[in-house]
Amino acid sequence: GSDVLSSLLRVSVTDSSMPEPGAAPRRSPQGVPYSDLPHIVNADGLHLFCRYWEPAGQPRALVFIAHGAGEHCGPYDEMAQKLKEFSLLVFAHDHVGHGQSEGDRMNIKDFQIYIRDSLQHIDLMKSRHPDLPVFIVGHSMGGAISILTACERPGDFAGVVLIAPLVQMNPESATPFKVFMAKLLNHMVPSLTMGSIESKWLSRDKRQVEAYDADELNYHGGMRVSFGMQLMAAVERMEREIPSISWPFLLLHGDADKLCDIRGSRMMHDNSPSTDKKIKIYEGGYHALHHDLPEVAESVLKELTTWITEHIPATTSQEAQ
Ligand SMILES: O=C1CC[C@@H](CCC(=O)N2CCC(COc3ccc(F)cc3Cl)CC2)N1
Protein backbone atom coordinates (compact mmCIF):
# COMPACT_ATOMS: atom_id res chain seq x y z
CA GLY A 1 0.00 0.00 0.00
CA SER A 2 0.97 3.67 -0.06
CA ASP A 3 2.36 3.55 3.51
CA VAL A 4 4.98 0.96 2.41
CA LEU A 5 5.89 3.10 -0.59
CA SER A 6 6.10 6.27 1.51
CA SER A 7 8.27 4.52 4.11
CA LEU A 8 10.58 3.27 1.31
CA LEU A 9 10.76 6.83 -0.07
CA ARG A 10 11.64 8.13 3.38
CA VAL A 11 14.47 5.61 3.66
CA SER A 12 15.87 6.49 0.23
CA VAL A 13 15.63 10.24 0.89
CA THR A 14 17.62 10.43 4.14
CA ASP A 15 21.31 10.38 3.17
CA SER A 16 23.43 9.00 5.99
CA SER A 17 26.36 11.34 5.29
CA MET A 18 24.20 14.40 5.88
CA PRO A 19 22.98 14.87 9.45
CA GLU A 20 19.24 14.39 9.86
CA PRO A 21 17.63 17.83 9.23
CA GLY A 22 16.36 17.93 12.83
CA ALA A 23 19.57 16.59 14.39
CA ALA A 24 21.71 19.13 16.28
CA PRO A 25 25.41 19.18 15.22
CA ARG A 26 27.68 17.14 17.52
CA ARG A 27 29.55 19.53 19.80
CA SER A 28 32.79 19.17 21.78
CA PRO A 29 32.59 19.12 25.61
CA GLN A 30 33.39 22.86 25.36
CA GLY A 31 30.35 23.39 23.07
CA VAL A 32 32.15 23.81 19.74
CA PRO A 33 30.51 22.04 16.75
CA TYR A 34 32.84 19.32 15.48
CA SER A 35 32.12 20.59 11.96
CA ASP A 36 34.33 23.58 12.99
CA LEU A 37 37.13 21.41 14.48
CA PRO A 38 39.68 19.02 12.91
CA HIS A 39 38.49 15.60 14.11
CA ILE A 40 38.15 11.89 13.40
CA VAL A 41 35.23 9.68 14.43
CA ASN A 42 36.35 6.51 16.22
CA ALA A 43 34.88 3.00 15.87
CA ASP A 44 32.37 3.74 18.65
CA GLY A 45 31.16 6.92 16.87
CA LEU A 46 32.95 9.25 19.28
CA HIS A 47 34.48 12.44 17.86
CA LEU A 48 38.19 12.88 18.66
CA PHE A 49 39.70 16.37 18.36
CA CYS A 50 42.87 16.34 16.20
CA ARG A 51 45.89 18.61 15.75
CA TYR A 52 48.26 18.67 12.76
CA TRP A 53 51.63 20.37 12.35
CA GLU A 54 52.55 20.20 8.64
CA PRO A 55 55.99 21.28 7.38
CA ALA A 56 56.14 23.66 4.38
CA GLY A 57 58.02 21.31 2.06
CA GLN A 58 57.89 17.56 1.50
CA PRO A 59 57.66 15.80 4.88
CA ARG A 60 60.39 13.26 5.70
CA ALA A 61 58.42 11.25 8.28
CA LEU A 62 55.17 11.07 10.25
CA VAL A 63 55.21 11.54 14.04
CA PHE A 64 52.17 10.62 16.16
CA ILE A 65 52.12 12.13 19.67
CA ALA A 66 50.20 10.25 22.42
CA HIS A 67 49.41 12.47 25.45
CA GLY A 68 49.00 11.28 29.05
CA ALA A 69 46.11 10.81 31.47
CA GLY A 70 44.09 13.90 32.37
CA GLU A 71 45.79 16.16 29.81
CA HIS A 72 45.35 16.72 26.04
CA CYS A 73 47.54 17.24 22.96
CA GLY A 74 47.66 21.05 23.15
CA PRO A 75 50.67 21.17 25.54
CA TYR A 76 52.73 19.33 22.87
CA ASP A 77 52.58 22.32 20.50
CA GLU A 78 56.14 23.49 21.26
CA MET A 79 57.52 19.96 20.75
CA ALA A 80 55.54 19.56 17.53
CA GLN A 81 56.71 22.95 16.19
CA LYS A 82 60.32 21.84 16.79
CA LEU A 83 59.74 18.54 14.96
CA LYS A 84 58.05 20.44 12.11
CA GLU A 85 61.25 22.48 11.68
CA PHE A 86 62.96 19.17 10.81
CA SER A 87 60.38 18.58 8.04
CA LEU A 88 58.43 16.07 10.12
CA LEU A 89 54.64 15.92 9.81
CA VAL A 90 53.30 15.76 13.36
CA PHE A 91 49.76 14.72 14.27
CA ALA A 92 47.86 13.98 17.48
CA HIS A 93 44.38 13.70 18.93
CA ASP A 94 42.81 14.06 22.37
CA HIS A 95 42.14 10.50 23.59
CA VAL A 96 38.55 9.49 24.39
CA GLY A 97 37.38 11.29 27.55
CA HIS A 98 40.12 13.94 27.30
CA GLY A 99 40.34 17.59 26.23
CA GLN A 100 38.12 18.47 23.27
CA SER A 101 37.18 14.85 22.46
CA GLU A 102 33.96 13.12 23.41
CA GLY A 103 33.72 10.49 26.13
CA ASP A 104 33.34 10.24 29.90
CA ARG A 105 36.10 12.37 31.49
CA MET A 106 39.31 10.42 32.17
CA ASN A 107 37.57 7.08 32.04
CA ILE A 108 37.67 4.20 29.56
CA LYS A 109 35.77 0.92 29.27
CA ASP A 110 38.86 -0.82 27.88
CA PHE A 111 42.42 0.53 27.53
CA GLN A 112 42.44 -1.09 24.07
CA ILE A 113 40.17 1.73 22.83
CA TYR A 114 43.12 4.18 23.14
CA ILE A 115 45.29 1.83 21.05
CA ARG A 116 42.55 1.14 18.45
CA ASP A 117 41.93 4.89 18.01
CA SER A 118 45.68 5.62 17.71
CA LEU A 119 46.00 2.95 15.00
CA GLN A 120 42.96 4.43 13.20
CA HIS A 121 44.58 7.89 13.13
CA ILE A 122 48.01 6.48 12.18
CA ASP A 123 46.46 4.42 9.34
CA LEU A 124 44.60 7.51 8.09
CA MET A 125 47.84 9.53 7.93
CA LYS A 126 49.76 6.62 6.38
CA SER A 127 47.11 6.40 3.63
CA ARG A 128 47.79 10.08 2.86
CA HIS A 129 51.59 9.65 2.96
CA PRO A 130 52.17 5.97 2.10
CA ASP A 131 55.96 6.20 1.68
CA LEU A 132 56.84 7.97 4.93
CA PRO A 133 58.33 6.21 7.97
CA VAL A 134 56.20 6.53 11.11
CA PHE A 135 57.33 7.40 14.65
CA ILE A 136 55.38 7.60 17.88
CA VAL A 137 56.19 9.92 20.81
CA GLY A 138 54.34 9.08 24.04
CA HIS A 139 54.33 10.55 27.54
CA SER A 140 53.21 8.72 30.73
CA MET A 141 49.94 6.90 29.99
CA GLY A 142 50.58 7.96 26.39
CA GLY A 143 53.81 5.98 26.68
CA ALA A 144 51.82 2.86 27.58
CA ILE A 145 49.52 3.54 24.60
CA SER A 146 52.61 3.96 22.38
CA ILE A 147 54.24 0.73 23.59
CA LEU A 148 51.09 -1.36 23.14
CA THR A 149 50.37 0.28 19.74
CA ALA A 150 53.89 -0.56 18.51
CA CYS A 151 53.54 -4.11 19.90
CA GLU A 152 50.41 -4.59 17.76
CA ARG A 153 52.28 -3.49 14.60
CA PRO A 154 55.91 -4.53 15.41
CA GLY A 155 57.23 -3.82 11.90
CA ASP A 156 55.35 -0.60 11.24
CA PHE A 157 57.28 1.96 13.26
CA ALA A 158 60.73 3.37 12.53
CA GLY A 159 61.00 4.27 16.24
CA VAL A 160 59.19 5.02 19.49
CA VAL A 161 60.20 7.84 21.86
CA LEU A 162 58.96 7.43 25.44
CA ILE A 163 59.01 10.35 27.88
CA ALA A 164 58.53 9.05 31.45
CA PRO A 165 56.26 6.26 30.18
CA LEU A 166 53.87 4.39 32.43
CA VAL A 167 55.43 0.90 32.31
CA GLN A 168 55.18 -0.27 35.92
CA MET A 169 52.98 0.73 38.86
CA ASN A 170 54.46 3.05 41.44
CA PRO A 171 55.31 0.62 44.29
CA GLU A 172 54.14 3.11 46.98
CA SER A 173 50.70 3.54 45.37
CA ALA A 174 50.44 -0.10 44.29
CA THR A 175 51.05 -2.03 47.48
CA PRO A 176 49.40 -5.50 47.38
CA PHE A 177 46.81 -4.25 49.86
CA LYS A 178 45.91 -1.20 47.73
CA VAL A 179 45.74 -3.31 44.56
CA PHE A 180 43.49 -5.81 46.38
CA MET A 181 41.25 -2.97 47.63
CA ALA A 182 41.11 -1.39 44.15
CA LYS A 183 39.98 -4.71 42.64
CA LEU A 184 37.41 -5.19 45.39
CA LEU A 185 36.09 -1.62 45.04
CA ASN A 186 36.02 -1.96 41.27
CA HIS A 187 33.39 -4.65 41.65
CA MET A 188 31.36 -2.68 44.15
CA VAL A 189 31.72 1.02 43.30
CA PRO A 190 33.77 1.33 40.06
CA SER A 191 32.90 5.03 39.71
CA LEU A 192 34.33 5.80 43.17
CA THR A 193 37.19 8.26 42.75
CA MET A 194 40.61 7.81 44.32
CA GLY A 195 43.12 10.62 44.73
CA SER A 196 43.86 12.92 41.79
CA ILE A 197 47.23 13.47 40.10
CA GLU A 198 49.23 15.80 42.35
CA SER A 199 50.37 18.54 39.94
CA LYS A 200 53.32 19.56 42.15
CA TRP A 201 55.08 16.34 41.07
CA LEU A 202 54.71 17.15 37.38
CA SER A 203 57.58 19.60 37.12
CA ARG A 204 60.20 21.53 39.10
CA ASP A 205 59.19 24.59 37.06
CA LYS A 206 56.32 26.11 39.02
CA ARG A 207 55.14 28.08 35.97
CA GLN A 208 54.50 24.73 34.24
CA VAL A 209 52.61 23.43 37.31
CA GLU A 210 50.52 26.64 37.36
CA ALA A 211 49.81 26.30 33.62
CA TYR A 212 48.67 22.69 34.15
CA ASP A 213 46.42 23.68 37.08
CA ALA A 214 44.96 26.61 35.08
CA ASP A 215 44.34 24.62 31.87
CA GLU A 216 40.60 23.93 31.79
CA LEU A 217 41.14 21.31 29.07
CA ASN A 218 42.91 19.18 31.69
CA TYR A 219 40.88 16.91 33.97
CA HIS A 220 41.46 17.88 37.61
CA GLY A 221 38.99 15.51 39.24
CA GLY A 222 39.79 12.30 41.10
CA MET A 223 40.82 9.13 39.36
CA ARG A 224 37.99 6.61 39.14
CA VAL A 225 38.68 3.12 40.46
CA SER A 226 37.57 1.71 37.08
CA PHE A 227 40.14 3.89 35.29
CA GLY A 228 42.86 2.74 37.68
CA MET A 229 41.93 -0.84 36.90
CA GLN A 230 42.38 -0.19 33.18
CA LEU A 231 45.80 1.34 33.86
CA MET A 232 46.74 -1.75 35.92
CA ALA A 233 45.58 -4.01 33.08
CA ALA A 234 47.75 -2.03 30.63
CA VAL A 235 50.74 -2.42 32.99
CA GLU A 236 50.16 -6.18 33.16
CA ARG A 237 49.90 -6.35 29.34
CA MET A 238 53.20 -4.47 28.91
CA GLU A 239 54.93 -6.79 31.37
CA ARG A 240 53.97 -9.70 29.07
CA GLU A 241 54.94 -7.87 25.87
CA ILE A 242 58.35 -6.47 26.91
CA PRO A 243 60.27 -9.74 26.34
CA SER A 244 59.23 -9.60 22.65
CA ILE A 245 59.90 -5.89 21.94
CA SER A 246 62.31 -5.63 19.01
CA TRP A 247 61.49 -2.19 17.54
CA PRO A 248 63.85 0.80 18.07
CA PHE A 249 63.07 2.99 21.08
CA LEU A 250 64.42 5.93 23.09
CA LEU A 251 63.54 6.20 26.79
CA LEU A 252 63.79 9.52 28.67
CA HIS A 253 63.00 9.43 32.40
CA GLY A 254 63.65 11.60 35.47
CA ASP A 255 64.98 9.76 38.53
CA ALA A 256 62.87 11.95 40.86
CA ASP A 257 59.65 10.99 39.04
CA LYS A 258 56.94 10.29 41.63
CA LEU A 259 54.11 9.58 39.17
CA CYS A 260 55.62 6.91 36.93
CA ASP A 261 58.40 4.92 38.54
CA ILE A 262 61.70 5.04 36.64
CA ARG A 263 62.10 1.31 37.44
CA GLY A 264 59.59 0.64 34.64
CA SER A 265 61.83 2.32 32.06
CA ARG A 266 64.94 0.57 33.41
CA MET A 267 63.12 -2.79 33.26
CA MET A 268 61.98 -2.16 29.66
CA HIS A 269 65.48 -1.11 28.60
CA ASP A 270 67.11 -4.12 30.29
CA ASN A 271 64.58 -6.80 29.28
CA SER A 272 63.63 -5.98 25.68
CA PRO A 273 65.52 -7.87 22.96
CA SER A 274 65.63 -4.72 20.78
CA THR A 275 69.16 -4.10 19.50
CA ASP A 276 68.44 -0.39 18.90
CA LYS A 277 67.45 1.03 22.28
CA LYS A 278 68.66 3.98 24.36
CA ILE A 279 67.79 5.25 27.84
CA LYS A 280 68.70 8.70 29.13
CA ILE A 281 68.16 9.39 32.84
CA TYR A 282 67.64 13.00 33.99
CA GLU A 283 69.10 13.40 37.50
CA GLY A 284 66.49 15.06 39.71
CA GLY A 285 64.04 15.17 36.80
CA TYR A 286 60.33 15.20 37.65
CA HIS A 287 57.54 13.47 35.68
CA ALA A 288 56.76 15.81 32.75
CA LEU A 289 60.40 16.10 31.57
CA HIS A 290 59.39 18.05 28.44
CA HIS A 291 57.94 20.68 30.81
CA ASP A 292 60.58 20.40 33.58
CA LEU A 293 63.27 23.08 34.25
CA PRO A 294 64.17 24.92 31.00
CA GLU A 295 67.54 23.21 30.57
CA VAL A 296 65.88 19.77 30.93
CA ALA A 297 62.99 20.61 28.57
CA GLU A 298 65.53 21.91 26.04
CA SER A 299 67.63 18.74 26.35
CA VAL A 300 64.54 16.54 25.90
CA LEU A 301 63.59 18.34 22.68
CA LYS A 302 67.16 18.04 21.39
CA GLU A 303 67.42 14.34 22.31
CA LEU A 304 64.15 13.37 20.65
CA THR A 305 64.58 15.44 17.47
CA THR A 306 68.13 14.11 17.03
CA TRP A 307 67.11 10.50 17.71
CA ILE A 308 64.12 10.67 15.33
CA THR A 309 66.03 12.36 12.45
CA GLU A 310 68.88 9.83 12.86
CA HIS A 311 66.32 7.02 12.63
CA ILE A 312 64.74 8.15 9.37
CA PRO A 313 65.80 5.45 6.87
CA ALA A 314 67.75 6.87 3.93
CA THR A 315 65.32 6.66 0.97
CA THR A 316 66.46 4.62 -2.03
CA SER A 317 66.53 7.83 -4.13
CA GLN A 318 69.08 9.38 -1.71
CA GLU A 319 71.19 6.20 -1.80
CA ALA A 320 71.01 6.25 -5.62
CA GLN A 321 72.38 9.84 -5.76
O1 LIG B 1 52.24 16.56 31.69
C1 LIG B 1 51.44 15.79 32.26
C2 LIG B 1 50.09 16.14 32.67
C3 LIG B 1 49.41 14.83 33.03
C4 LIG B 1 50.59 13.89 33.27
C5 LIG B 1 50.38 12.48 32.78
C6 LIG B 1 49.70 11.66 33.85
C7 LIG B 1 49.70 10.17 33.50
O2 LIG B 1 49.46 9.82 32.35
N1 LIG B 1 49.99 9.26 34.48
C8 LIG B 1 50.40 9.66 35.84
C9 LIG B 1 49.61 8.94 36.89
C10 LIG B 1 49.66 7.43 36.70
C11 LIG B 1 48.81 6.77 37.77
O3 LIG B 1 48.89 5.38 37.56
C12 LIG B 1 47.95 4.60 38.24
C13 LIG B 1 47.04 5.13 39.13
C14 LIG B 1 46.12 4.28 39.77
C15 LIG B 1 46.15 2.92 39.48
F1 LIG B 1 45.27 2.11 40.07
C16 LIG B 1 47.05 2.39 38.57
C17 LIG B 1 47.95 3.25 37.97
CL1 LIG B 1 49.12 2.63 36.84
C18 LIG B 1 49.15 7.09 35.31
C19 LIG B 1 49.94 7.82 34.24
N2 LIG B 1 51.68 14.52 32.58
Side-chain angles (χ1 to χ4, degrees):
S2 64
D3 58 322
V4 169
L5 185 65
S6 63
S7 65
L8 275 177
L9 273 176
R10 212 171 21 257
V11 165
S12 61
V13 161
T14 55
D15 166 4
S16 61
S17 67
M18 293 297 290
E20 287 284 314
R26 289 281 278 267
R27 290 173 180 273
S28 71
Q30 296 74 29
V32 182
Y34 278 111
S35 49
D36 298 348
L37 293 170
H39 68 275
I40 55 175
V41 181
N42 80 0
D44 302 314
L46 294 182
H47 292 63
L48 305 183
F49 170 73
C50 299
R51 286 183 196 268
Y52 300 93
W53 295 266
E54 313 212 26
Q58 189 62 26
R60 299 171 62 205
L62 296 172
V63 182
F64 174 63
I65 296 180
H67 69 74
E71 60 168 350
H72 58 103
C73 64
Y76 295 84
D77 180 61
E78 188 185 352
M79 179 188 294
Q81 295 289 356
K82 193 76 191 161
L83 290 165
K84 182 177 147 182
E85 285 169 23
F86 287 85
S87 299
L88 304 173
L89 198 169
V90 186
F91 63 106
H93 61 252
D94 291 349
H95 305 307
V96 165
H98 288 79
Q100 300 178 72
S101 293
E102 291 184 301
D104 183 20
R105 295 298 97 185
M106 202 168 92
N107 209 0
I108 199 77
K109 290 190 189 68
D110 188 330
F111 199 84
Q112 182 60 21
I113 291 169
Y114 292 143
I115 292 144
R116 180 203 65 193
D117 294 349
S118 299
L119 284 171
Q120 176 186 333
H121 202 177
I122 289 164
D123 288 345
L124 171 68
M125 295 305 285
K126 277 169 67 174
S127 69
R128 292 180 184 162
H129 303 274
D131 305 327
L132 293 185
V134 189
F135 294 84
I136 308 182
V137 177
H139 164 58
S140 201
M141 177 185 82
I145 295 170
S146 307
I147 290 167
L148 294 172
T149 298
C151 286
E152 283 202 18
R153 304 275 189 79
D156 284 17
F157 299 101
V160 178
V161 179
L162 300 164
I163 304 171
L166 166 67
V167 178
Q168 275 183 341
M169 298 270 292
N170 182 321
E172 279 89 64
S173 67
T175 59
F177 173 71
K178 286 184 183 175
V179 171
F180 167 74
M181 284 309 292
K183 288 182 176 168
L184 190 70
L185 286 172
N186 188 44
H187 284 292
M188 300 187 314
V189 275
S191 57
L192 183 82
T193 59
M194 306 188 292
S196 55
I197 292 167
E198 286 195 79
S199 58
K200 67 181 178 187
W201 301 127
L202 285 174
S203 169
R204 290 172 287 179
D205 182 340
K206 66 178 181 9
R207 288 165 305 175
Q208 293 286 355
V209 173
E210 284 158 6
Y212 171 83
D213 288 336
D215 185 348
E216 288 170 7
L217 287 177
N218 287 335
Y219 172 79
H220 298 293
M223 180 178 289
R224 284 190 179 71
V225 167
S226 55
F227 186 69
M229 296 310 292
Q230 287 304 326
L231 293 176
M232 282 190 219
V235 164
E236 284 160 12
R237 229 180 107 185
M238 282 184 283
E239 206 155 349
R240 289 195 300 273
E241 297 273 1
I242 280 175
S244 59
I245 287 178
S246 56
W247 28 266
F249 62 84
L250 166 64
L251 280 161
L252 305 172
H253 216 124
D255 70 2
D257 187 335
K258 291 175 182 60
L259 293 173
C260 282
D261 200 280
I262 191 170
R263 273 170 278 197
S265 287
R266 289 193 201 282
M267 184 271 285
M268 177 173 173
H269 183 260
D270 298 344
N271 295 303
S272 58
S274 177
T275 52
D276 182 353
K277 56 188 179 180
K278 178 180 177 184
I279 184 165
K280 182 178 172 69
I281 311 283
Y282 286 85
E283 301 287 315
Y286 273 27
H287 186 50
L289 280 178
H290 50 303
H291 290 148
D292 202 36
L293 298 173
E295 62 271 18
V296 170
E298 208 174 304
S299 165
V300 165
L301 279 186
K302 180 138 186 52
E303 282 292 325
L304 77 87
T305 49
T306 304
W307 191 87
I308 288 176
T309 46
E310 283 173 354
H311 278 76
I312 296 174
T315 50
T316 45
S317 60
Q318 277 170 341
E319 276 150 8
Q321 282 157 9

